[in-house]
Amino acid sequence: MRVIIHIGTEKTGSTALQSCLFSNEPALTEAGYALFRFSKDDPTQIPNNRQMVAMFQDLEFWDDYFVQQGIKTAEDHAEFCAQVRSEFISWLGALPAQIHTVILTSEHFHSLLKNMDAVQALSEFFAPLFEDVRVVGYFREQGDMCRSFYTTRLLNGETRAFDTFTQECLPESHYYNHLRMFSLWGDTFGDDALTARIYDRKHLRGGDICTDFCAAISEITNQPVELSSADTTALNQSLGQSRQKLLRRLNQTLPVGSRLRAYSLAMLRRAHFLDRSADAPDAPEVYESFDADNRAFAARFLGSDENPFSDSD
C-alpha cells in the first residue's frame, strides 16, 4: 500500500483541499483512496490530520492542539501517541481490499516538523506500514505568503503593523524558506518521492487546488480520480488593506474572546465593499532576498534554473 502525504505548505489552500477531499470521500474510496480521521478530533471541523503531526512534533513547539487534547506533560504526549498509533494501525488493517493509497493531509507537516529528527521519526513510523511513501507540497511566493499569514494573525489578535510583521519573512525562517523546508523531506524520503507544485492560479490544473491535487495523485498512482470542488467561499477569506487596518485597530481596543470583538469581527468580515482591487498591503522587499534559495529550490525539485515565482510587487 502507498501513502501520499500532503504537507501544505501553509497559506496554499490546504483548508479548501481538505474540504474537497472529505466531502468527496465516497468517490475517493471507490477510486481506491482512503482518508484517515482520528476519533478524538472535533467531528464538526474539517479534518486535517493534525494528530499525525503532533506525534512527531518537537515538544518545544507546544501549541493549542495539545491543550485541546488535554496534553500537559511528556507522559500525556506519549499516551496520546500510543492511541494515535493504535487507532491508525487498526484502521489500516480494516481498509477494504480495493484501497491502494492512503492520503494524509496537513499544512502543519510544513510548519511544525522543523528538523530532520522529526521527519525521520515519521518515516520510521511509516516504513513497516507502507511500501511506498510520496510527498506533495504546494509553494507560494514568500511575499504573498506573508500577506496571507498576516490576515490569519490579525484574525487571532495580532496588533503589529504589516511592515513590522514582515520583518519575520526572512530566508533564515523555516516557515518561509521552501528550499530549507522541502530539503528535510527530500533528504529523508529521496527527491524522487517528492512532488512540488506552484500555488498560483495560472499554474494549477483547472485553476484550483482540488483539481490540481487530483491530477498530482493520479500521476503518482496511475489511478485517475476526479472530484467535485467544494464550496470554499467562506474558508480562510482574505482581507484587503482597509479591513486589515480596521481589524488591527479592533485588536488594539478589544480583547480576543470578548463578545463585542466577536460581533465587530463578524461585521468586518462581511464588509467586502471596503476592499478594492488594488487595496493590498505593501509587500516587503523579500523577492530578491529569497531569489537565490528559490532558484536552488527550483533546480532541485522542479528541474528548472529559473525562479519559479513572479515578483509579488
Side-chain angles (χ1 to χ4, degrees):
M1 188 178 292
R2 174 187 294 108
V3 61
I4 296 177
I5 311 170
H6 164 247
I7 65 168
T9 57
E10 290 197 1
K11 320 319 299 178
T12 60
S14 297
T15 303
L17 175 59
Q18 289 151 7
S19 177
C20 173
L21 292 175
F22 281 92
S23 64
N24 284 275
E25 192 166 6
L28 280 168
T29 301
E30 185 177 350
Y33 298 89
L35 301 167
F36 178 63
R37 298 169 183 260
F38 182 48
S39 61
K40 287 183 68 176
D41 282 348
D42 187 344
T44 66
Q45 300 295 316
I46 299 170
N48 71 351
N49 296 139
R50 179 66 182 81
Q51 73 289 332
M52 282 292 175
V53 179
M55 288 176 65
F56 308 103
Q57 182 178 341
D58 192 322
L59 296 187
E60 176 185 349
F61 308 120
W62 217 272
D63 60 13
D64 290 344
Y65 184 77
F66 288 89
V67 175
Q68 294 165 7
Q69 298 298 327
I71 301 171
K72 300 178 181 179
T73 66
E75 290 74 19
D76 291 339
H77 182 253
E79 183 177 340
F80 172 83
C81 292
Q83 179 181 353
V84 177
R85 288 189 181 95
S86 176
E87 192 168 316
F88 184 70
I89 291 171
S90 296
W91 173 80
L92 277 180
L95 287 175
Q98 81 269 18
I99 299 298
H100 53 76
T101 300
V102 168
I103 299 173
L104 296 174
T105 167
S106 182
E107 62 275 24
H108 302 290
F109 283 121
H110 151 230
S111 59
L112 292 175
L113 301 191
K114 300 183 180 183
N115 55 57
M116 185 64 74
D117 288 345
V119 180
Q120 287 184 340
L122 180 146
S123 174
E124 290 168 5
F125 172 64
F126 284 152
L129 302 176
F130 298 102
E131 298 172 355
D132 185 29
V133 178
R134 300 297 182 96
V135 180
V136 178
Y138 284 82
F139 299 90
R140 185 175 185 176
E141 192 274 324
Q142 286 86 355
D144 282 340
M145 191 176 174
C146 189
R147 284 190 194 87
S148 181
F149 190 32
Y150 183 59
T151 292
T152 300
R153 292 292 294 271
L154 283 172
L155 292 170
N156 287 287
E158 178 65 65
T159 59
R160 289 175 294 172
F162 182 68
D163 58 354
T164 301
F165 179 82
T166 56
Q167 293 174 11
E168 300 174 357
C169 186
L170 300 169
E172 293 75 24
S173 167
H174 169 90
Y175 188 87
Y176 290 106
N177 192 310
H178 303 323
L179 173 65
R180 178 176 298 186
M181 186 280 296
F182 214 37
S183 291
L184 294 177
W185 296 83
D187 292 345
T188 300
F189 294 103
D191 290 359
D192 289 345
L194 273 54
T195 298
R197 312 285 275 205
I198 302 303
Y199 186 72
D200 185 305
R201 190 172 297 276
K202 65 177 179 288
H203 290 288
L204 297 175
R205 303 244 187 122
D208 72 88
I209 192 168
C210 186
T211 301
D212 192 85
F213 184 75
C214 287
I217 65 175
S218 295
E219 290 172 3
I220 291 170
T221 64
N222 291 319
Q223 299 289 333
V225 60
E226 294 183 8
L227 305 179
S228 300
S229 295
D231 180 5
T232 58
T233 54
L235 301 176
N236 292 340
Q237 289 183 341
S238 62
L239 302 177
Q241 188 174 19
S242 296
R243 285 196 289 170
Q244 285 188 346
K245 288 180 177 179
L246 287 171
L247 180 51
R248 178 175 169 241
R249 183 65 60 85
L250 185 68
N251 292 341
Q252 293 170 331
T253 306
L254 298 173
V256 174
S258 71
R259 289 186 178 182
L260 183 55
R261 181 184 183 276
Y263 175 78
S264 301
L265 179 56
M267 296 294 290
L268 189 61
R269 282 180 179 272
R270 293 196 290 267
H272 302 284
F273 63 89
L274 294 173
D275 291 343
R276 300 292 183 266
S277 59
D279 190 15
D282 293 333
E285 294 296 328
V286 298
Y287 187 82
E288 288 300 325
S289 68
F290 282 94
D291 184 64
D293 283 338
N294 284 341
R295 289 177 183 273
F297 167 83
R300 178 169 178 179
F301 299 114
L302 297 171
S304 168
D305 59 1
E306 298 292 330
N307 189 323
F309 307 109
S310 301
D311 189 339
S312 63
D313 293 333

